[in-house]
Amino acid sequence: MKRYKVRFHLAKGDNFMKWQVFDLQTGTKDYFDPDSRYIIMRDCVLGNQPATAKKIFDGDNKTVCAWVACEEVRVVDSSPPLDNMSRFMYNPRKNPHWCTDTIDNADKLKFKTMVTNKRRVYG
């Protein structure tokens, strides 16, 4: 199991629309504003709960079902270079899987490095 889970937090409250970094070893959750902070993740895999995502795709209420699992997280103040990286998207209302413009199901794909830029994920 990876040490961290990184996801976009959509629950109402102070951390609405922020990146959540969940440290599975310590149980702590930290939140970062996507307009001013960028997250560099190492040794990553795209995580998804397909059964939950399929229910959302079919019309159920949204709930947490996708994340980037990774071994290392570094939060920085300026955007890292995105050269040769693809944008990955997750919206279970449109597709119950992680995807790109050319890949319909990117669930469980592994990456040496992934980064956030605003509300987007690149790998």
Side-chain angles (χ1 to χ4, degrees):
M1 182 187 332
K2 303 290 185 187
R3 176 167 180 175
Y4 298 96
K5 283 187 176 180
V6 178
R7 68 180 186 88
F8 203 65
H9 188 74
L10 294 173
K12 292 180 182 177
D14 291 342
N15 296 310
F16 179 65
M17 302 277 284
K18 293 182 181 176
W19 287 106
Q20 178 192 80
V21 176
F22 181 29
D23 185 328
L24 298 169
Q25 283 185 355
T26 65
T28 58
K29 294 178 182 176
D30 294 303
Y31 298 87
F32 301 96
D33 182 344
D35 292 325
S36 61
R37 306 304 295 270
Y38 304 85
I39 303 170
I40 302 170
M41 301 166 279
R42 305 272 189 219
D43 189 15
C44 307
V45 62
L46 295 174
N48 185 18
Q49 292 179 335
T52 303
K54 178 72 167 87
K55 288 177 185 176
I56 297 167
F57 182 74
D58 290 338
D60 277 9
N61 291 331
K62 282 190 174 183
T63 187
V64 176
C65 60
W67 56 86
V68 177
C70 55
E71 279 300 319
E72 181 183 327
V73 169
R74 190 163 53 111
V75 179
V76 296
D77 295 330
S78 59
S79 176
L82 302 175
D83 302 339
N84 301 315
M85 295 184 115
S86 297
R87 176 182 169 205
F88 285 82
M89 297 164 277
Y90 189 82
N91 181 345
R93 288 268 184 253
K94 295 181 179 182
N95 182 341
H97 306 285
W98 282 97
C99 61
T100 69
D101 289 336
T102 58
I103 301 170
D104 287 335
N105 184 348
D107 294 353
K108 299 183 183 176
L109 282 185
K110 296 178 181 179
F111 298 87
K112 184 176 180 178
T113 302
M114 296 191 87
V115 299
T116 66
N117 186 304
K118 305 293 182 186
R119 294 172 44 188
R120 297 178 175 175
V121 177
Y122 295 84

